[in-house]
Amino acid sequence: MNNFVIGTAGHVDHGKTALIHALTGIETSHLPQEKQRGMTIDLGFAHFNDNQGRKIGVIDVPGHERFIRNMVAGVWSLDLVLFVVAADEGWSAMSHDHLKVIASLGINNIILVINKSDLVTPQELVAVEEQALEQFIEQMDLLPQSVCVSSLTGQGIDKLQQTIERTLDEVERQPVFPLPHLYVDRIFTINGIGTTVTGSLCGGSLKIGDQLNLSPQGMRVQIKSLHAYHQHRESVDSVSRVAIGLKGVKKRELQRGACLHDIKAACETSSDLLIRIENPLKLKRRQCEIEVAIGTAHTLARLYLLGDGRLARLQLTTPCACFWGQRIVLIRHGGSQIIGAGQLVWSQSVARQDRARLQSMLESLPAQLTQADYASLQLKLHGFTRAPGQDSEILSSQQFGEYLVSHHFLDSGSSRLFELLESAHGSSSLPELASKTHWPMPIIEILVAQLIEQGKVSRSGETCSVGGGQNLNTLPEEAQQLFELIFQAGTQGFEANKASIPGLQKNLRLLTREALILHTQDKIYFDQQSYLELVSRLLKGRKPDERFSIAMAREATGLARKQLIPLLNRIEQDGWVRRDESERVVLKTLSEKVIAD
């Protein structure tokens, strides 16, 4: 059974908070200033069960122009908007701006609620309703359902609830960015739980113990607890209002606008965006300073209109978490006027020589964006992308697991890796290749597999070497003798600086190229079997994200500091661990299959 989140919009003092209280029995005003002024300042939250037993979360947004940014933060994820107009005042200044925000965010499920109907005559009520409907037709080309109510007397509230239920029955969710994600709108600390955030969960389900990425902080966090509508939950479905207790993050590291999302979700952190403008912007200059609202975040930005004005570049002062196809609201800097809206069509860095080609591709995008459109853009520009879905087929590409790779890139990318290996004396770790090319590790794995299939390279663990991996017996005798010395040194390592052997450097390069040995700093060499044995000792019994100290590493390996530090640097280079001050953090464990190989 689907859950939903709905919200209010409308001019200040038109009775949005009172309407929610009449619907749910919950008072959403929680700040002392709100109660003193009788005016909503920040977001408020309530909920009710409809006649089908569905949980309906309700967000109360401020109506005053000074708090338009809080209003935008509240409506980004709504399934339905209750647009409130007071019968005794009619359509007002902020009614216009709130409708513009809703249109900018692409929300078409709207119920017009004429509130305070007990204060006017039937004729006046009809006139206010007609005036409001005309505004919807003029601004959105939309004629919403309308219900007249009185929050004070309760008149029409039952009819409104029935209309809400019928409307939600027809809601079709087709998110441009699926997979679980939540933009944070509140942060606080709870005794016994710790750092807790709230937001509207969209795109999928979450359960206690799940690991999520936190953007733009670039952190991995774990769900410690889940609450929805004042109840503890083991799991929560979207779309729901959720409170998430987090493990691995402090309150001071968070702010409204941060995004919690599934590890596989295509969430980008960027301060340089390209957006497609929905309607021509009425600007005096082609560049200006504005504010932008993305999810629950807002920040200053410099806007540059491109070409004929259908595209614009936004340079944000603060990096934001964003999704391709996401709607962005543009607000006049220092004021409350909504100057326009756009749809995010690019958020990654682009080489200078590719910019004109990208702009041309973006101008040719269809009106309704899909993940397949994004995949096609990535393939044309980069040569690879995550597959948009099992049912999608994109010509001139081949699927490898979760990635699509163009046929052209399979050839050009493989050639690029081979050149890098040759320039690195014939051998390099896969993380090194990823760092040099800025390609994700799965793509490096795919291209290395192509080179191995062609017999151009061999691989041992995380090390890739030029050559097909000759048998030791086919190498020159002096190389075999050197290998025997290194093999005998075992897990203590062979110190090349202390050896005086004819042809030493030449044979070290040969053995490294053939993936029989590998080197660490200070010219200490290990045979592959001994290296994997040391990695196994270090990581045995440890889980990803677990930390260990130098002393713990020394105890596990039995190495002296002069061998241990180069070894730790090597396994960091190979992607097993990362360094955090004086400790190492485990990134992945060593499978028994790799040890056996």
Side-chain angles (χ1 to χ4, degrees):
M1 182 179 296
N2 287 334
N3 296 319
F4 297 92
V5 175
I6 68 176
T8 60
H11 191 82
V12 64
D13 288 335
H14 278 210
K16 298 183 293 298
T17 302
L19 176 67
I20 291 176
H21 186 268
L23 267 175
T24 69
I26 296 173
E27 176 62 56
T28 59
S29 297
H30 62 280
L31 296 176
Q33 304 95 304
E34 292 178 322
K35 295 178 180 180
Q36 290 170 6
R37 300 185 193 181
M39 178 177 68
T40 301
I41 295 173
D42 203 351
L43 304 178
F45 307 99
H47 65 276
F48 67 95
N49 289 348
D50 70 5
N51 293 323
Q52 300 179 42
R54 297 177 299 192
K55 287 286 187 186
I56 312 297
V58 188
I59 300 179
D60 186 18
V61 303
H64 198 283
E65 63 179 1
R66 283 180 292 171
F67 309 115
I68 190 70
R69 293 153 189 81
N70 289 345
M71 182 270 173
V72 176
V75 301
W76 78 272
S77 62
L78 299 182
D79 294 306
L80 170 69
V81 169
L82 306 179
F83 200 98
V84 182
V85 176
D88 59 337
E89 292 188 34
W91 195 264
S92 303
M94 288 307 295
S95 302
H96 177 84
D97 275 354
H98 279 216
L99 187 57
K100 202 165 184 179
V101 169
I102 292 166
S104 299
L105 293 171
I107 301 173
N108 294 315
N109 296 316
I110 303 171
I111 298 175
L112 172 63
V113 182
I114 307 298
N115 195 16
K116 305 184 182 183
S117 59
D118 56 312
L119 300 181
V120 297
T121 66
Q123 294 79 9
E124 291 172 325
L125 192 61
V126 169
V128 169
E129 184 178 18
E130 289 181 351
Q131 178 194 30
L133 291 174
E134 286 175 3
Q135 292 291 332
F136 275 92
I137 294 173
E138 181 181 335
Q139 293 190 49
M140 292 187 67
D141 194 24
L142 176 72
L143 190 63
Q145 299 180 77
S146 61
V147 180
C148 297
V149 305
S150 169
S151 301
L152 181 64
T153 67
Q155 176 188 346
I157 296 298
D158 288 343
K159 181 181 178 181
L160 174 59
Q161 187 165 338
Q162 293 167 8
T163 306
I164 291 171
E165 187 170 338
R166 286 197 308 271
T167 305
L168 292 178
D169 285 339
E170 299 174 1
V171 167
E172 293 184 8
R173 295 193 184 116
Q174 294 179 329
V176 175
F177 34 103
L179 297 178
H181 59 280
L182 174 148
Y183 275 101
V184 173
D185 51 41
R186 286 196 297 174
I187 308 115
F188 44 90
T189 302
I190 297 179
N191 290 335
I193 295 177
T195 303
T196 303
V197 301
T198 66
S200 297
L201 172 64
C202 300
S205 303
L206 295 176
K207 64 181 184 300
I208 292 176
D210 281 353
Q211 289 196 341
L212 301 172
N213 283 344
L214 175 65
S215 300
Q217 286 83 354
M219 299 173 63
R220 182 73 57 86
V221 297
Q222 188 174 25
I223 297 178
K224 189 176 181 180
S225 68
L226 284 170
H227 284 77
Y229 308 118
H230 307 299
Q231 291 184 342
H232 173 76
R233 303 289 180 87
E234 291 296 319
S235 62
V236 180
D237 297 325
S238 63
V239 170
S240 299
R241 287 294 306 172
V242 182
I244 305 178
L246 294 175
K247 182 180 180 180
V249 63
K250 295 180 174 62
K251 180 182 176 182
R252 65 174 180 271
E253 296 175 300
L254 288 164
Q255 69 279 328
R256 175 181 283 184
C259 184
L260 283 168
H261 56 90
D262 187 280
I263 293 168
K264 294 183 179 180
C267 182
E268 300 279 351
T269 293
S270 180
S271 57
D272 200 341
L273 313 178
L274 293 179
I275 63 171
R276 182 170 63 180
I277 302 298
E278 295 190 342
N279 294 301
L281 300 181
K282 297 178 180 179
L283 300 174
K284 295 180 180 179
R285 294 174 294 177
R286 290 180 61 84
Q287 59 175 279
C288 61
E289 193 170 36
I290 63 168
E291 291 183 42
V292 299
I294 304 173
T296 60
H298 79 271
T299 183
L300 288 174
R302 192 77 187 170
L303 179 144
Y304 301 86
L305 288 178
L306 305 178
D308 60 4
R310 287 181 294 167
L311 292 175
R313 181 183 184 188
L314 294 175
Q315 290 184 311
L316 312 182
T317 57
T318 304
C320 287
C322 51
F323 296 84
W324 187 80
Q326 185 171 10
R327 292 178 177 271
I328 295 175
V329 179
L330 310 178
I331 306 170
R332 190 171 301 283
H333 178 39
S336 59
Q337 182 184 1
I338 307 300
I339 60 175
Q343 198 168 16
L344 179 63
V345 289
W346 199 258
S347 58
Q348 302 170 9
S349 60
V350 182
R352 185 176 296 274
Q353 66 270 19
D354 292 332
R355 291 176 184 173
R357 186 162 62 98
L358 173 63
Q359 184 172 333
S360 176
M361 289 190 287
L362 296 178
E363 289 174 342
S364 302
L365 285 171
Q368 297 296 323
L369 300 180
T370 67
Q371 284 294 309
D373 297 321
Y374 182 58
S376 293
L377 274 175
Q378 295 276 349
L379 279 172
K380 291 175 184 177
L381 200 70
H382 296 314
F384 58 84
T385 184
R386 289 183 185 272
Q390 293 181 347
D391 299 330
S392 63
E393 291 186 7
I394 299 179
L395 298 177
S396 301
S397 66
Q398 187 173 344
Q399 186 157 353
F400 298 85
E402 62 178 345
Y403 275 89
L404 290 176
V405 183
S406 71
H407 298 315
H408 172 73
F409 182 77
L410 280 175
D411 294 332
S412 62
S414 298
S415 298
R416 169 72 172 142
L417 283 195
F418 192 77
E419 291 172 1
L420 288 173
L421 287 169
E422 287 188 316
S423 65
H425 305 291
S427 178
S428 183
S429 71
L430 271 62
E432 278 183 310
L433 295 173
S435 176
K436 290 176 180 177
T437 59
H438 302 291
W439 297 335
M441 276 297 294
I443 296 300
I444 299 295
E445 297 266 6
I446 291 166
L447 297 177
V448 167
Q450 295 285 309
L451 291 170
I452 292 173
E453 187 176 334
Q454 295 165 6
K456 293 183 177 180
V457 304
S458 60
R459 177 180 174 180
S460 178
E462 294 289 286
T463 301
C464 186
S465 304
V466 172
Q470 296 184 43
N471 188 288
L472 181 62
N473 295 330
T474 66
L475 297 180
E477 184 177 351
E478 58 183 14
Q480 294 183 44
Q481 292 173 350
L482 177 59
F483 177 79
E484 184 63 26
L485 290 173
I486 296 172
F487 184 78
Q488 289 175 1
T491 56
Q492 294 300 308
F494 176 78
E495 298 181 58
N497 283 337
K498 294 184 178 181
S500 179
I501 302 172
L504 176 64
Q505 296 304 321
K506 178 185 70 174
N507 288 308
L508 284 173
R509 285 194 297 270
L510 175 60
L511 291 170
T512 301
R513 186 168 63 246
E514 297 304 325
L516 293 167
I517 66 172
L518 55 81
H519 70 279
T520 65
Q521 292 174 346
D522 299 334
K523 295 188 177 180
I524 298 175
Y525 288 79
F526 295 91
D527 67 275
Q528 290 285 352
Q529 183 177 336
S530 296
Y531 173 70
L532 291 177
E533 170 63 24
L534 288 167
V535 174
S536 177
R537 291 182 192 176
L538 278 169
L539 304 183
K540 185 176 181 180
R542 304 190 197 280
K543 298 178 180 179
D545 295 329
E546 187 174 338
R547 295 169 176 267
F548 62 89
S549 64
I550 297 288
M552 295 166 68
R554 185 186 297 118
E555 181 179 352
T557 61
L559 294 179
R561 188 176 182 85
K562 69 175 181 178
Q563 286 105 354
L564 180 61
I565 299 303
L567 174 70
L568 290 175
N569 291 338
R570 175 70 197 215
I571 69 169
E572 180 181 358
Q573 171 186 311
D574 287 345
W576 300 109
V577 302
R578 66 175 173 84
R579 185 172 180 177
D580 186 3
E581 296 182 351
S582 62
E583 294 183 320
R584 267 67 177 180
V585 182
V586 177
L587 296 180
K588 58 183 178 179
T589 56
L590 192 65
S591 68
E592 292 181 3
K593 179 181 182 303
V594 172
I595 296 172
D597 291 345

